Each structure stands twice: as structure tokens, then as C-alpha cells.
Amino acid sequence: MRLHKLSLTFCLVFLFTFEWTDASRLSVSGKKLTYNGKSVFLSGVNFAWNSYGSDFGNGKYMANSKSTFERWLKEVASKGGNSVRVWLHVEGDNTPRYDANGYVQSPDGTLFPEMKTFLNTAKANNILVVFVLWNGAYLRNRKTLDLFRDNKKLQSYIDKVLKPMVKSLAGHPALGAWEIINEPEGLIYDNTRDGNNCFNTLPLYKSGAGFNKPQQALVTMRETLLFINWQAAAIKQTDPGALVTVGTWSERSMNGLSSNSRNYYTDACLIAAGGRALGKLDFYQVHTYAYPCHASFAPNSPFKVSAARYGLDKPLVIGELSQRCSGGSSIEQLYEYAYKNGYQGAWGWQYYNDPDPKKDERDDSIDTLNKGMLKLRGRNAAGGLVNFPVN
């Protein structure tokens, strides 16, 4: 009887460990994204959040967002979308759990199963999910900011939350990628001189970087790149097949086309900051808006040049865009341009009908974003396959 129980236990552990062994997953081939061996284009939207910072963990998914997210996933699928970008910890107010000294103690009791429930629903709708761990565009939680400045505290997050989280979801066919941080440039001092060009932010001076306020909330580029390098390495150690990206706020921080731009997220820069060889990105991601919204895009913005123009060594996805801040382009034109000009994806901002349209002038309506996805529904040309089974 005891032997039988041990055998049953072993089988259950084996099945759990290899639940998704035979599943397909998003991968990289040169400068292309692929799924099940086929070149694909990630046509989708930013959910970002339903309840800012409180969509997952501590029972929040069931209480706040499950029904809304499930409805949105079905609608995105019906419009031909194949991917969504969703924010997780955000500023760190709900998860993870910090102790009084700012060390991470645990995720909480519900975070991992809630994420898996969301992924299962995404899979049922043939949608890939990119989980965004942190928000650099707006970050007020002092304990989360300390993860950039204190390596022991960052390691406590990696050991207590990140690695267990990645392990619990490893190989899930709907898990498209992990994004370490949204728009880290919001946190960065934009006028730091450094002998190593990877950490020298003078090219970003007066560019708009460092928009997180107050000044005490800013960090150096070196600290930011270490923050990314260590977490990317931990993800790769735990799930070697997982993809990792970062959502850059502008093309100015991920290319070297002019004297006021630089690619800070190269393999060499990330490793120089953190020293962990696995801590690299698998694909680049850029956000782009005309500023002001009625103006034209900047000369080197994605909607003015092809992806190839940046000379990058990895795939490039347009992670945020909006019709409202496009200088007059329609949402259909934006998605079409991305598809035909070498980009590997386009995600409109934001799948959320804000009751106050003046709160963020970039926000497109759900109806508008649906039109963008509909433009590419069923497409299977040189830009990549748009609709494919997630299994």
C-alpha cells in the first residue's frame, strides 16, 4: 500500500512538472517571432489593468477583474487579436509582500493560481499573454524603489517570488513573455555622465526621461540595468525557453540613429551592469506616441522608419501606440504599417473605457482598438501569421 502511494505521488509530481512539455510556445528565430515553427505577428492590445495594481494576488483577481478580463479576452479573440499585455505587481502595493525592512517575504496565497487561471482562459481564446512585472512610468512605493538600490532586497524578490512564479507557469502555451518593467526611463536620471556609455544618460538630457516625480524617486541607468539583468537571468535559469523583454518609453533609448539616442538594453550593457550572463532580452519593445498628440511623429519614431532602420539584432515589437496620439493616422493605418514594415507586433493603448477621457489623452477606446485588430485579422503574408492555435 505504501509503495502504491509513493508511486502515485511520483506520477502526480511528474505530470505536474511536465504539464506543458509538449506545448508550443512563442520563440525567437533571428529577428522574427515564431510560434510552432511559423513566423507570427503579435496583433493585440494593452489590457494593462482593470484595477490598477490590484488585478492579481490576495484574492483580487476573483474580486476585481476575472469577469472583465475574461470578457475582454473573448472580445479580442473575436476581433482577430492574438496577444495582450497585462501589468502584474505595478508599483508593489498589493504584491509582493514586504517586511518592515523592505525585504520581500512572499507573493501571497493566490497570485500564482490566479495568473494560471488567466493564462488558461487566454489559451482557450488562442491569445498569448505578456506579463509586465513592474511600472517605471509611475512608481511611488519606497520599498519597490529600494529593489533598484539594494541588491540584497532585489535578490529577496527573485528568490521568494520571481523564481517560484516562473516555475509555476513554466512552459504554459499562452505565456508569451515576461516583461521586466514598463518604461524604466521614467525612473532614470537623464543627465548622468559615466565613462561607460551603457550608463551615460547625457544623450537623454531634456528628452523627457526621468518623468517619475519627485526627484528622490529617480535611479541611475546602472541600477536600472542591473535590476533588469538579474531578473531576466532568474527567469532564464528557471525556464530556459521563456522570453524576456522591456517596454522602452521611446526609440531614443533603444537605438543609436542620432547623437541624442542610444541602445541601453544591449546584451553587453545589461551584463556590464549586473554581471549575469543569462540576463538578456529576447526581443525589443518600443512605445511611440506623437507629442503633442496632434503633431507628427518624431523623425526616427517607428511610424516614420522601418524596423530594419534601427539596426537591431533582435525582433522589435511596438508595445504601445494610439490613434489619438498619431498625428492624424487611423488605427487601421497604424496596425497595417507595423505589419508591413518589419515590426513583430503592435499593441494599442489601452483596452479600457476610461470614464474620464481627459485623464490620459493617449487612451483609445475599445471600439477603436478593435478596428485595428480587425484590419489584420486572418493575415498571413510576409509580415507573419496573425491567427494561430495556442496549444
Side-chain angles (χ1 to χ4, degrees):
M1 185 66 178
R2 184 180 180 185
L3 180 61
H4 174 74
K5 288 182 177 179
L6 287 172
S7 298
L8 179 60
T9 300
F10 174 81
C11 289
L12 289 173
V13 170
F14 182 87
L15 287 171
F16 177 78
T17 303
F18 295 95
E19 181 178 1
W20 306 111
T21 298
D22 296 327
S24 301
R25 65 192 310 184
L26 190 66
S27 303
V28 169
S29 178
K31 298 179 184 180
K32 296 282 189 179
L33 291 175
T34 66
Y35 195 88
N36 199 23
K38 297 179 180 179
S39 174
V40 298
F41 180 90
L42 299 182
S43 176
V45 294
N46 284 273
F47 281 5
W49 63 83
N50 173 56
S51 180
Y52 182 80
S54 294
D55 286 316
F56 297 95
N58 292 306
K60 301 293 188 181
Y61 184 63
M62 296 298 294
N64 295 342
S65 302
K66 183 176 184 289
S67 61
T68 299
F69 276 170
E70 289 184 349
R71 184 177 72 254
W72 287 353
L73 286 169
K74 290 177 182 178
E75 186 166 3
V76 167
S78 73
K79 305 306 178 184
N82 63 19
S83 49
V84 297
R85 182 170 173 259
V86 183
W87 294 16
L88 194 62
H89 302 309
V90 192
E91 298 183 51
D93 294 336
N94 181 47
T95 66
R97 287 178 178 166
Y98 295 101
D99 67 15
N101 297 314
Y103 288 88
V104 174
Q105 295 300 293
S106 65
D108 76 279
T110 69
L111 179 62
F112 302 169
E114 287 176 358
M115 294 170 70
K116 188 172 182 180
T117 296
F118 180 71
L119 286 174
N120 288 343
T121 305
K123 176 180 178 292
N125 286 279
N126 294 314
I127 290 176
L128 299 175
V129 175
V130 176
F131 279 122
V132 184
L133 300 180
W134 306 101
N135 180 23
Y138 195 52
L139 182 51
R140 299 157 294 181
N141 189 315
R142 303 298 302 181
K143 291 180 179 179
T144 299
L145 284 165
D146 281 348
L147 299 182
F148 291 81
R149 299 164 175 154
D150 188 322
N151 292 351
K152 290 182 179 179
K153 291 179 179 178
L154 176 59
Q155 191 62 49
S156 73
Y157 167 73
I158 290 170
D159 292 339
K160 296 293 181 65
V161 177
L162 183 58
K163 284 186 172 181
M165 179 167 64
V166 172
K167 183 178 181 180
S168 73
L169 302 175
H172 195 295
L175 179 58
W178 297 97
E179 182 178 324
I180 305 300
I181 185 170
N182 169 69
E183 300 187 358
E185 299 85 0
L187 296 171
I188 291 169
Y189 289 106
D190 67 353
N191 61 346
T192 301
R193 187 183 301 276
D194 195 290
N196 186 328
N197 281 339
C198 291
F199 315 131
N200 182 357
T201 58
L202 291 182
L204 300 181
Y205 184 56
K206 293 186 177 180
S207 66
F211 47 87
N212 192 54
K213 302 299 179 187
Q215 281 289 110
Q216 294 87 344
L218 300 183
V219 296
T220 67
M221 180 63 80
R222 186 188 295 267
E223 290 170 328
T224 300
L225 295 182
L226 182 148
F227 179 84
I228 295 167
N229 172 256
W230 280 26
Q231 291 178 81
I235 291 169
K236 292 294 188 177
Q237 289 167 357
T238 308
D239 181 10
L243 300 188
V244 177
T245 189
V246 164
T248 59
W249 122 104
S250 163
E251 72 280 354
R252 289 185 60 172
S253 58
M254 46 67 65
N255 81 87
L257 293 182
S258 65
S259 60
N260 64 354
S261 65
R262 180 165 294 158
N263 186 357
Y264 292 98
Y265 304 104
T266 63
D267 296 352
C269 284
L270 289 167
I271 294 171
R276 300 187 177 180
L278 292 177
K280 301 174 288 188
L281 306 184
D282 294 286
F283 64 91
Y284 295 108
Q285 181 197 146
V286 61
H287 301 170
T288 186
Y289 301 96
Y291 185 79
C293 282
H294 62 271
S296 297
F297 284 109
N300 288 325
S301 72
F303 289 111
K304 289 294 186 178
V305 302
S306 68
R309 180 75 174 86
Y310 294 120
L312 301 173
D313 58 342
K314 300 176 183 183
L316 175 60
V317 171
I318 301 177
E320 290 186 17
L321 60 92
S322 85
Q323 176 178 283
R324 295 186 67 185
C325 291
S326 67
S329 297
S330 71
I331 195 70
E332 293 93 340
Q333 289 173 324
L334 297 176
Y335 276 73
E336 183 78 17
Y337 186 97
Y339 184 81
K340 288 186 173 180
N341 283 275
Y343 297 96
Q344 297 298 290
W347 298 321
W349 183 270
Q350 175 191 11
Y351 216 69
Y352 179 82
N353 285 325
D354 196 323
D356 180 8
K358 296 181 180 179
K359 188 174 182 180
D360 188 338
E361 63 178 347
R362 303 170 302 169
D363 289 357
D364 279 340
S365 68
I366 287 176
D367 286 344
T368 296
L369 296 175
N370 285 343
K371 292 176 182 177
M373 292 184 288
L374 280 168
K375 181 66 176 178
L376 299 182
R377 183 169 65 178
R379 198 71 65 91
N380 184 17
L385 179 64
V386 170
N387 299 115
F388 47 88
V390 173
N391 53 35

